[in-house]
Amino acid sequence: MAVRTKLDASRVLANVADDKRFFCRDGCVSKNLTELMNCFSHMTKDIFNHHVTSEKNDFSLWIRDVLGDDKLANDLTGLREPVDAAKVIRERITWLRKKSE
């Protein structure tokens, strides 16, 4: 889904249902983008590589399939460092917050 309206931006920023949360291998659980961004702040490269390989990107899939943000999902594809993923998500959160005002 493309984020075109205030409502779209608000939906992407909102908490997801308990059964839709992202469960990271290191035990970090995210119910929204901010929590996912915070998980990256202490994520090791090994944990990141468990979720991101040449065949898959669990973070990108969750953002696309659960949160419905195709742009952010695409922006995360190809990133190989948790710090880079956190930066991309932080920038997107800032944009979404402005859009939702």
Side-chain angles (χ1 to χ4, degrees):
M1 165 184 86
V3 177
R4 295 190 174 118
T5 67
K6 243 173 136 168
L7 185 57
D8 292 341
S10 294
R11 283 186 195 147
V12 173
L13 290 169
N15 292 342
V16 299
D18 288 348
D19 64 326
K20 302 288 185 186
R21 293 177 293 172
F22 188 91
F23 291 87
C24 192
R25 184 176 174 95
D26 65 0
C28 193
V29 180
S30 303
K31 65 179 178 272
N32 59 48
L33 277 180
T34 300
E35 289 184 358
L36 181 61
M37 181 186 68
N38 291 337
C39 285
F40 287 123
S41 68
H42 57 78
M43 187 178 294
T44 66
K45 179 80 170 163
D46 286 340
I47 296 297
F48 187 82
N49 288 339
H50 171 80
H51 291 285
V52 177
T53 68
S54 59
E55 292 84 34
K56 68 171 181 153
N57 184 320
D58 295 335
F59 306 113
S60 179
L61 289 173
W62 183 73
I63 288 168
R64 183 183 322 282
D65 297 343
V66 176
L67 301 181
D69 189 342
D70 291 341
K71 181 188 180 328
L72 179 56
N74 291 338
D75 290 348
L76 288 175
T77 303
L79 297 181
R80 297 289 174 239
E81 297 290 334
V83 67
D84 296 334
K87 180 180 182 221
V88 168
I89 292 174
R90 185 179 318 106
E91 290 169 357
R92 187 63 171 171
I93 289 170
T94 299
W95 185 87
L96 289 164
R97 285 181 178 154
K98 287 178 185 174
K99 181 81 173 173
S100 68
E101 291 175 351

